[in-house]
Every structure is written in structure tokens, then in C-alpha cells.
Amino acid sequence: MMKKITILGSSGSIGAQILDIVSKMKNYVRVEGLAVGSNIKLLKSQIKKFRPLAVSIGSQSDAQILKQWCKSNDVKTNIYSGEEGLEKLATLPDVSMVFASVVGSVGLRSVIAAIKAKKDVAIANKESLVMAGSFIMNLAEENGISVLPVDSEHSAIFQCCGGEKKSQIKKILLTASGGPFYKYNKDFSKITVEQALDHPTWKMGKKITIDSATLMNKGLEAIEASILFGVPIDKIEIVIHPQSIVHSMVEYVDGSVVAQLSNPDMRLPIQYALTYPERVSSSVKSLNFAEIGKLEFYKPDFNKFPCLKLAYYAAKKGHTLPAVMSAANETAVAAFLNKEVKFTDIAKIVGKTVYAHKISKDMLLNTFFAADSWARQYAKKLVNKISLVVPKGDSIWAL
Ligand code: MG
């Protein structure tokens, strides 16, 4: 039977890889819905190639342009826009799986809409899980749907957990490439945007690449793993593994460690989420162990990468604090990419926001949204304070 899917965030790097897999599995899967933020040019080419039933784009004016374009090209795709459009796409009647690959907490409402409409969710949007993880997982259980990991590490953990009881997990070993600055021993405050965007193993979007450089990505992933697999944060251990061959491991109470290995290629976890519980052949290159020679593992340096500390702190305190941390991080990363603040300011902004937050313990969705927007405002004020004393543009690196 044909599996019908929607991809929220089809213009991003994960979205492109999902579509790459879909185009190789035409007899198995059909794209019914595509949603992008603003990349109208790419969306047009995706419409031409995949002929989806419906698409959504961020702004209303872009939606108007698309409608005209569809008319003159005799394309029957329905066009939606904005947050409403995302929710519409997340709930298309014939779709059984929604890929949530929007970046940032803006993806949360559509994830919730998909779950309520009883769609399985393949989640690449880690910010949603960090922001309101227990809310999402409870809702998924109530609606009897699966939340499947797309992140390579979480797909690995998922594969290592097959059939075992949660209570038998001693710890999860979450691997990290270490990012571009794992061995860097110069002044971190002078790290430029260009240096930070140059990731050694993975080609990804800008936000996640900066998160990989500060190791905040690993912090967010530790929280994501704790939520997805129902394991407390102190049972999640980060291991630096520069080769990115072991994608994560699970240690059981008897001391047995199960690992998942493959060449680093995001198409593998994406395909597994798509075909689970089946496995089908893929174009991912087989591992050649003799050629690899050695696999290295190191302890992460929490002092060099304070974002890791902040993530564990936020996860331990729980409730609204992970949402606050993640939102402050989004604001700080955007300011760094904009050259308004230094690399080292990211952790400072996140830290100050986290420590200033008054945790709220009620589990209402609006509480998480309120925490998120409070954190953005607070972090933005900190950004403005910093950028007032530091001239904008490249010249800040001279200070
Ligand atoms: Mg990852």
C-alpha cells in the first residue's frame, strides 16, 4: 500500500534529503503535502516534481504568487499560508505520517495538530521536543500514534532499544562529533561566523551548525533522548566520537552495550523512520572497517562548552526551563549569525536567561509558549545590550 506523507520544512537540508529518498521510493511513498517558510523558488520546483495535493508557505503574499503560478501552469495543488497553513498540511486526511523538519519552536503547533489528527510523526524538529516534550509524548500516547526519531543519534538509540524494556537500560551513550572546535585551543571569543559554519562531518542548516559548534546541539539532543526514550537526563552520557561512525549506544543493566554504526549519511535515519518496522535497501555506502582503522572516544569538556552544562541544568530542573533555554539559544544564535554578538556570548545570553526565569510547573501548552516568548524577549534585551557596546559587523572581532 502507498504511504502518504507530508513534509513540514521541505526547503531545509533535512527536507531535501527526505525528498531525495522519496524520489527513489516512488512505488512505496507519495508526498501529499509540502510546507516551506519563504523559499518560493524551491517550492515551485518541488511542486513540479512531486505534484503534492497541498502546499503551504509562510506569507500570504507568497501564497498569492504561488496561486497565480499554479493557475498559469495548470497545476492543481491547493495553496495555504502561515501557521494555519502548517496545521492544515499537518492534518491532511489521507496522510499517515508527518515529517516535522521545521527548525525552531515554531514547529510545535503543527506537531501537536498532526498528533491530534492521529498521524505518526517523524520528528527532526528537536526544538519542539525540548520545548514541550512531555506534553507531546503524553498526547502521542493518548492518540495511539508513534513519534519516530529522524535525528541520526536518536534513530541509533531507537534501533539499539529494539524489544528491550526501558527499565533495563542502564544508560544511553549519546555520541557527538565534537564539532569544529573540539580541539581548538585559541580564544573562543574570536571565533567567526565563517569558522563556526564549517562543520567537519555533517552539512546542515545554519542554526544547527552553530549549535554543533557550541555543542548546544548535543545538549538539546540529550534532552530529546531523555524525552523520546523516557530515561532521566543523568542516565544520558555524551561521548565525543570524531569519526561519526557510531551514531549512539545503549548500555543495559547487565553491562552489555548495543551500538548502531554506519557511514554518516542522514538518508539512513530518514529512510528508517519512513519504512519502520521494515528495512529496505539504500544507497548508503557499506562500512569498511579495515579502511576506517580506528574509532576514537573522548569525554566532552563541559567548561570549554558551557552550553552543555546549561542544557543538563535546564533538563534537570525541567518544566518550562528547557523551553526557555532553547528559545534563548535561538535568539542568541540568530544574533551571532547576524554578527551582533560574539561566539562566547551565546552561552552567556542563554545562561543569563535561564537563571532569570521563574519556572512554571503547570503543564498547559500556553505555559510553554509563554515561557518561549518571555525567553526570546529577555535574550533579545541581552543581545541589544551587547551590540550597543560592540560595533556591528566584522569589526567586533578586532576587540
Ligand atoms: Mg544529531
Side-chain angles (χ1 to χ4, degrees):
M1 223 183 72
M2 193 69 106
K3 186 166 197 166
K4 292 181 177 166
I5 65 163
T6 281
I7 304 169
L8 305 176
S10 66
S11 59
S13 119
I14 294 287
Q17 294 176 88
I18 300 168
L19 285 172
D20 179 45
I21 289 164
V22 168
S23 61
K24 289 180 182 122
M25 300 176 78
K26 276 192 190 121
N27 297 325
Y28 180 82
V29 51
R30 190 187 132 69
V31 176
E32 287 280 271
L34 292 170
V36 305
S38 60
N39 196 338
I40 192 164
K41 200 176 153 207
L42 186 58
L43 182 57
K44 280 179 188 170
S45 73
Q46 291 176 347
I47 293 173
K48 269 190 193 160
K49 189 163 177 200
F50 295 96
R51 298 283 162 163
L53 182 72
V55 300
S56 179
I57 192 157
S59 83
Q60 247 176 16
S61 56
D62 279 345
Q64 278 310 321
I65 298 171
L66 265 180
K67 272 180 193 164
Q68 277 305 321
W69 176 85
C70 283
K71 231 185 206 172
S72 46
N73 286 278
D74 204 27
V75 173
K76 302 251 170 334
T77 298
N78 296 317
I79 316 284
Y80 302 98
S81 67
E83 185 109 37
E84 255 171 75
L86 271 180
E87 286 184 37
K88 186 88 193 166
L89 271 277
T91 56
L92 291 174
D94 286 344
V95 164
S96 62
M97 174 175 272
V98 173
F99 274 83
S101 48
V102 173
V103 180
S105 62
V106 287
L108 179 57
R109 280 194 204 277
S110 49
V111 166
I112 287 167
I115 296 173
K116 282 184 174 165
K118 303 205 187 299
K119 319 286 186 196
D120 286 332
V121 175
I123 197 140
N125 174 247
K126 63 189 72 163
E127 290 90 349
S128 286
L129 278 177
V130 170
M131 183 175 169
S134 42
F135 185 91
I136 291 174
M137 296 311 280
N138 288 342
L139 196 65
E141 206 181 318
E142 272 168 34
N143 284 280
I145 63 102
S146 310
V147 178
L148 294 154
V150 170
D151 221 343
S152 59
E153 295 81 357
H154 303 80
S155 176
I157 298 163
F158 184 58
Q159 293 176 59
C160 296
C161 281
E164 307 276 353
K165 285 185 197 136
K166 242 178 236 169
S167 58
Q168 293 175 350
I169 295 175
K170 191 171 169 191
K171 63 180 169 189
I172 288 175
L173 297 146
L174 185 70
T175 54
S177 71
F181 305 122
Y182 163 65
K183 282 190 173 158
Y184 195 77
N185 46 22
K186 290 184 211 151
D187 185 354
F188 270 52
S189 71
K190 298 221 164 67
I191 290 170
T192 65
V193 172
E194 292 71 24
Q195 280 174 303
L197 284 177
D198 193 15
H199 193 274
T201 357
W202 302 97
K203 274 278 147 276
M204 306 172 289
K206 280 187 183 175
K207 195 258 174 184
I208 187 174
T209 307
I210 300 302
D211 284 348
S212 301
T214 61
L215 292 199
M216 180 56 99
N217 183 52
K218 214 42 66 175
L220 293 171
E221 285 184 359
I223 301 175
E224 189 186 0
S226 151
I227 290 158
L228 279 173
F229 304 104
V231 167
I233 193 77
D234 45 17
K235 284 190 174 182
I236 295 169
E237 189 179 314
I238 294 167
V239 183
I240 304 285
H241 168 47
Q243 289 83 11
S244 299
I245 296 291
V246 176
H247 299 301
S248 277
M249 303 175 263
V250 176
E251 182 178 340
Y252 289 96
V253 284
D254 58 359
S256 189
V257 177
V258 182
Q260 188 262 338
L261 292 75
S262 75
N263 272 311
D265 190 326
M266 273 311 291
R267 285 174 301 178
L268 194 58
I270 293 169
Q271 177 176 307
Y272 190 65
L274 196 59
T275 64
Y276 174 80
E278 302 295 325
R279 287 186 188 269
V280 300
S281 66
S282 85
S283 54
V284 176
K285 241 179 90 198
S286 283
L287 281 177
N288 183 333
F289 284 97
E291 213 169 75
I292 295 163
K294 64 174 179 181
L295 298 173
E296 297 163 290
F297 301 95
Y298 304 102
K299 248 188 160 157
D301 186 340
F302 277 61
N303 292 322
K304 213 164 153 183
F305 297 98
C307 284
L308 278 182
K309 266 191 205 169
L310 288 167
Y312 272 79
Y313 175 81
K316 245 194 175 135
K317 293 271 174 187
H319 305 287
T320 44
L321 210 52
V324 163
M325 185 206 59
S326 179
N329 180 58
E330 278 188 51
T331 305
V333 169
F336 172 69
L337 283 168
N338 214 12
K339 301 191 177 177
E340 291 172 85
V341 301
K342 294 180 194 174
F343 186 77
T344 41
D345 287 329
I346 297 173
K348 284 182 197 160
I349 292 164
V350 176
K352 281 186 177 170
T353 311
V354 160
Y355 294 127
H357 178 62
K358 287 192 188 70
I359 291 174
S360 169
K361 291 188 177 172
D362 65 52
M363 283 282 295
L364 299 170
L365 191 54
N366 280 339
T367 311
F368 294 108
F369 278 109
D372 176 280
S373 63
W374 174 85
R376 277 168 209 276
Q377 279 170 24
Y378 194 90
K380 189 69 198 153
K381 273 187 212 153
L382 296 173
V383 167
N384 291 341
K385 247 191 209 165
I386 295 168
S387 42
L388 277 181
V389 290
V390 188
K392 278 194 183 179
D394 275 328
S395 55
I396 77 165
W397 313 118
L399 289 179

